[in-house]
Structure formats: C-alpha cells, structure tokens
Amino acid sequence: MKDSREFCFPISYNRYILGGGDSFRVALSLAALIALIGCRPISPSTMGPENIAAGSSPQTRALILENRAEGGDVDAMLHLAQAYRDGQEREKDIYKSIEWYQKAALKGNSTAQFELGNIYSSVDPEVADEVLAFLWYERAASSGHAQSAFIVGFRYALGIGVGEDDSLALDWIGRAIESGD
C-alpha cells in the first residue's frame, strides 16, 4: 500500500549524522518529531524528479526543488530557472532565472548555457546583450550542443555579438551538421 502522507521537513540527514555528537542527537530528535506528526521526511531517495509532483502541494514541490537546486542538483537548477523564466508555481523573475541557469551552466551543463544564450539574445531590453548571448552559445557549442553550434556559425556569418568571420561561420555550421542532432 502506497503511503499517501505528504512529504515534509526537507532535511539532509547526512549533514547531521555525519557530523556526529550533537548533530546526531539533532537528527534523532527531528526523526522523532517527524514520526509524531505523521509525515515522511524528505531524503535523497525521495527527492527524485518523479517524486516532486507526486501528491505534494505546490508549496512543498517548490521547497523541494529549491533545496535540491541549492544542494547542487543541476537538473533541479534547470527546473527552477525555467520556473522563474516562465512564471510556473512562482512569480516570474528573469533575474532569478538567469541566476539559476548560470549556476547550472558553470557546472558545465550545455542546456543551461544554451538557455542563457537565448535569454541574452531576447528582445527584452532589460537583459538583451548580444555579446553575452554569443559567449554562452559558444560555450554550449564547445560542449557539443549542436543547436548552439549552428547559432554560433550563424552569428559569425552575420556578425551578431562577434565580428564577422566567414571561415569560423562555416566551421561552426559544419560542426552542427556533423553532430547530426
């Protein structure tokens, strides 16, 4: 029988248990409190993407997602960035979206790098910056992101955010074609 109780208390037991001493007692006290109020603690095994939406309130899903992102989970960072960009279950905030995409991008995620290129190449005058857009597209393309490679080639051909260079344009477009994506 599946437990229908909602997840609560998103804590990392490892942080307390590995600390030993008082930290271990804190973890035991939290576990006892959680058992008393009748909900399951959120642990790394219950925080997968398939469990975020399962039977949880929007507030709980948002909290879990933020905790995972702050803990370094790149997929959670991407979801959080998209949520802020699109205004899903949180107020739309392009600057928070950029912040989370940058965190994922700096961990080497080519999708986040591509999305930053898209944001900076937007028509929104608050964030539009063709040079930054080019740099993020180029970083994604260098990581093997085929669509970014095509965009980098296109930008070299037209001189958008970078000086015109037909040779580099053909090189990048060739890379995009070779990748087959």
Side-chain angles (χ1 to χ4, degrees):
M1 182 171 146
K2 189 173 183 176
D3 190 349
S4 63
R5 293 176 292 177
E6 189 168 307
F7 293 118
C8 64
F9 291 104
I11 61 171
S12 171
Y13 287 110
N14 292 340
R15 177 177 52 201
Y16 293 108
I17 292 171
L18 295 177
D22 288 333
S23 296
F24 184 71
R25 283 188 286 279
V26 169
L28 288 176
S29 298
L30 285 172
L33 176 64
I34 289 167
L36 274 173
I37 62 173
C39 64
R40 295 179 292 150
I42 297 168
S43 68
S45 64
T46 60
M47 289 176 63
E50 68 281 357
N51 291 320
I52 287 180
S56 299
S57 70
Q59 296 83 5
T60 301
R61 288 192 303 271
L63 183 61
I64 293 169
L65 188 60
E66 286 180 31
N67 285 339
R68 287 180 51 211
E70 288 170 4
D73 183 323
V74 174
D75 288 334
M77 290 176 190
L78 289 173
H79 288 303
L80 197 54
Q82 181 181 354
Y84 278 119
R85 183 193 66 203
D86 300 338
Q88 299 170 341
E89 294 188 0
R90 55 192 25 86
E91 191 172 327
K92 191 173 185 173
D93 187 331
I94 193 65
Y95 296 106
K96 284 186 179 181
S97 176
I98 289 170
E99 176 186 341
W100 284 108
Y101 275 132
Q102 283 179 338
K103 288 179 181 186
L106 293 174
K107 287 184 170 274
N109 186 281
S110 62
T111 299
Q113 295 163 351
F114 172 75
E115 291 297 340
L116 284 166
N118 287 340
I119 288 171
Y120 287 121
S121 69
S122 74
V123 295
D124 183 347
E126 274 189 64
V127 295
D129 185 326
E130 294 300 343
V131 174
L132 274 176
F134 176 80
L135 293 172
W136 282 114
Y137 282 134
E138 186 178 44
R139 186 177 270 192
S142 295
S143 298
H145 194 272
Q147 191 173 359
S148 293
F150 178 79
I151 292 170
V152 167
F154 179 79
R155 286 173 164 265
Y156 268 121
L158 298 178
I160 302 171
V162 67
E164 281 186 43
D165 188 321
D166 291 340
S167 176
L168 286 172
L170 290 173
D171 180 50
W172 280 107
I173 292 171
R175 290 183 200 189
I177 292 169
E178 285 175 9
S179 74
D181 289 337

